[in-house]
Amino acid sequence: MFSLMIDIGSISPDFAPSNITGDSDVIYNVLDYGAVSDDKTDNSQAFLKAWSAACNAETGTPKVVVPENLGFLVYPVIFQGPCKPQNIEFLISGTIVAPSSPSIWDQGDVGQWLAFSRINGLSVHGFGTINGRGKGWWDQSCKLHPELALKFIGCNDSRLSNILFTNSPQVHVDITGSYGFSVHKLIIQSPGDAAPNTDGIHIQASHNLSITNSTISSGDDCISIGDYTSDIEVAYVECGPGHGISIGSLGQSGNFAQVENIIVTNCLLNGTTNGARIKTWQVGKGYVRNVVFKNLEFIGVKNPIIIDQNYCQVRGACPELDTGVHISNVTYNTMSGTSSSKIAINLNCSRSFPCSEISMEAIHLESVTPGNQVTASCTNAYGQEIDVLPGPCLQHMSIMK
């Protein structure tokens, strides 16, 4: 169907930059600020010193460099902005490694490992690796895990590209409160049986964001889209193993969800638990609207097309409530492949807030087991469908009225 192409300021500086290549490109190599490439030295302060020097540069486009062919142990750090330059780069050519012992986080914030905060014009890129050493965390209670490997907080007009992420304790990349953010050509790898919440990329309270040309293997959602997000594009992403590409879960604490203008196109989902998924908690409020899933291919996916508007702690035992997040104007177009379960299309919507304006066209799904049949199940879901197998499933809008 398509082809994926994957390539792979508060501390005063103590040293001068090691290499100046002109006013437009000033290099701040972490080695010049005391970083040591071994498996026992905590390089947090060296990284922060290099960052502070770059963030406070008066001219040019500064570039913090993690040099190639070297690995650096880094404890939890926050690279703080705002910075003086309009643009700043963080080039990861080598490897950044998390501490192997969970005890390192005993006195710190378990919510993050590497964080960039309030930086505009940031570019984190290179052909290096970020290794979260997650196994030590997966073997204990998930409540004790640090939330994620790399977090962006309030970073506008910024980008992340060409990095390999491996084995984060939980979420590999988190983007929160950001506008105009581009994610391109990432490879994310963690086992399919890793601990819960090892999402590949999570987006929260962000707008005008794109994720393209990436390969994601994880123990949870490959991509999850949280509350207060809009204008999100996901294109040419290969997902699997994992839980699929998900909008949600939304409204867990009864909050008001606002998610709109989401497009997921030209993606391959291989051996995932879900394919194109929208999941909202019964106690939630608000809306999900203007969503497009188009040109998707499924290989042995358990739930290729799924909406669960009755999400709760105990699956299948949710009492019916009169609350819900309204899901409307969702388009599924041009999809094919195989389902590993009998129900290939499953729209489980709320009686109080039915799913409306659902459109399905050119969808051809069959069982991964030759000779077996698949079915479609739609509850409180209204719209229209053309050339959909299995089907028909949706109820007509006239019935809703």
Side-chain angles (χ1 to χ4, degrees):
M1 182 180 294
F2 55 87
S3 174
L4 292 172
M5 299 182 63
I6 312 298
D7 294 331
I8 196 66
S10 60
I11 300 177
S12 300
D14 294 338
F15 301 93
S18 64
N19 181 33
I20 300 177
T21 59
D23 288 343
S24 62
D25 194 13
V26 184
I27 305 300
Y28 298 85
N29 191 318
V30 296
L31 292 173
D32 294 331
Y33 294 84
V36 178
S37 176
D38 59 25
D39 194 40
K40 58 185 179 181
T41 301
D42 173 14
N43 290 291
S44 305
Q45 292 304 308
F47 274 56
L48 287 171
K49 289 173 183 177
W51 173 258
S52 180
C55 186
N56 288 288
E58 298 290 346
T59 60
T61 300
K63 180 185 295 185
V64 176
V65 173
V66 180
E68 62 182 341
N69 301 321
L70 297 175
F72 299 92
L73 174 64
V74 177
Y75 284 27
V77 292
I78 300 177
F79 301 106
Q80 188 69 51
C83 294
K84 291 181 180 179
Q86 290 187 346
N87 298 288
I88 187 169
E89 297 183 38
F90 200 104
L91 176 63
I92 303 173
S93 296
T95 299
I96 300 176
V97 181
S100 59
S101 172
S103 63
I104 297 301
W105 272 263
D106 287 349
Q107 303 300 320
D109 179 7
V110 298
Q112 59 199 24
W113 170 33
L114 307 174
F116 291 89
S117 177
R118 299 177 61 216
I119 305 154
N120 295 337
L122 170 67
S123 176
V124 178
H125 64 105
F127 294 92
T129 299
I130 295 178
N131 183 353
R133 285 183 172 178
K135 191 177 186 310
W137 299 93
W138 303 335
D139 292 340
Q140 63 180 19
S141 170
C142 65
K143 292 182 179 180
L144 302 176
H145 296 184
E147 291 295 324
L148 42 89
L150 183 60
K151 186 172 186 177
F152 297 90
I153 310 163
C155 295
N156 300 328
D157 298 319
S158 298
R159 66 188 179 99
L160 170 67
S161 61
N162 292 310
I163 302 292
L164 169 63
F165 291 85
T166 63
N167 299 329
S168 174
Q170 287 202 21
V171 178
H172 291 74
V173 177
D174 183 282
I175 302 168
T176 297
S178 300
Y179 180 91
F181 202 107
S182 170
V183 178
H184 187 57
K185 292 186 177 179
L186 294 192
I187 298 177
I188 296 176
Q189 296 176 340
S190 66
D193 61 353
N197 301 322
T198 50
D199 295 32
I201 301 172
H202 178 69
I203 307 164
Q204 186 82 20
S206 296
H207 313 279
N208 191 20
L209 184 149
S210 66
I211 302 171
T212 57
N213 292 85
S214 296
T215 298
I216 303 174
S217 305
S218 70
D220 211 299
D221 295 327
C222 292
I223 297 171
S224 57
I225 298 172
D227 286 335
Y228 307 109
T229 57
S230 65
D231 300 298
I232 307 297
E233 177 190 16
V234 177
Y236 295 98
V237 169
E238 182 175 346
C239 169
H243 291 185
I245 297 174
S246 297
I247 296 174
S249 60
L250 305 174
Q252 180 174 2
S253 302
N255 57 299
F256 192 90
Q258 294 176 288
V259 177
E260 59 187 329
N261 303 332
I262 312 295
I263 181 167
V264 178
T265 181
N266 295 305
C267 293
L268 171 66
L269 296 110
N270 187 353
T272 55
T273 305
N274 305 288
R277 175 164 67 161
I278 301 174
K279 53 177 177 174
T280 64
W281 290 77
Q282 287 181 305
V283 295
K285 305 175 183 66
Y287 58 81
V288 176
R289 63 193 182 195
N290 302 334
V291 177
V292 175
F293 295 103
K294 184 176 182 180
N295 291 338
L296 304 187
E297 182 177 355
F298 307 105
I299 302 175
V301 173
K302 186 175 181 181
N303 302 296
I305 297 173
I306 181 169
I307 293 177
D308 187 355
Q309 207 176 359
N310 296 299
Y311 199 70
C312 64
Q313 292 286 0
V314 182
R315 185 167 300 176
C318 309
E320 186 171 325
L321 303 177
D322 60 1
T323 54
V325 177
H326 185 205
I327 298 171
S328 65
N329 195 9
V330 181
T331 297
Y332 302 91
N333 188 290
T334 314
M335 301 183 181
S336 65
T338 56
S339 171
S340 62
S341 68
K342 185 176 181 180
I343 303 176
I345 299 174
N346 188 0
L347 308 187
N348 177 21
C349 299
S350 163
R351 185 193 302 269
S352 299
F353 291 88
C355 301
S356 61
E357 299 177 88
I358 307 298
S359 175
M360 293 186 174
E361 184 173 356
I363 298 173
H364 301 147
L365 300 173
E366 58 187 23
S367 175
V368 72
T369 304
N372 286 3
Q373 300 298 312
V374 293
T375 63
S377 173
C378 296
T379 304
N380 303 314
Y382 295 84
Q384 61 181 0
E385 52 195 310
I386 301 172
D387 186 23
V388 177
L389 293 173
C393 178
L394 293 169
Q395 297 170 268
H396 294 295
M397 293 298 297
S398 58
I399 298 176
M400 183 179 179
K401 295 176 182 178

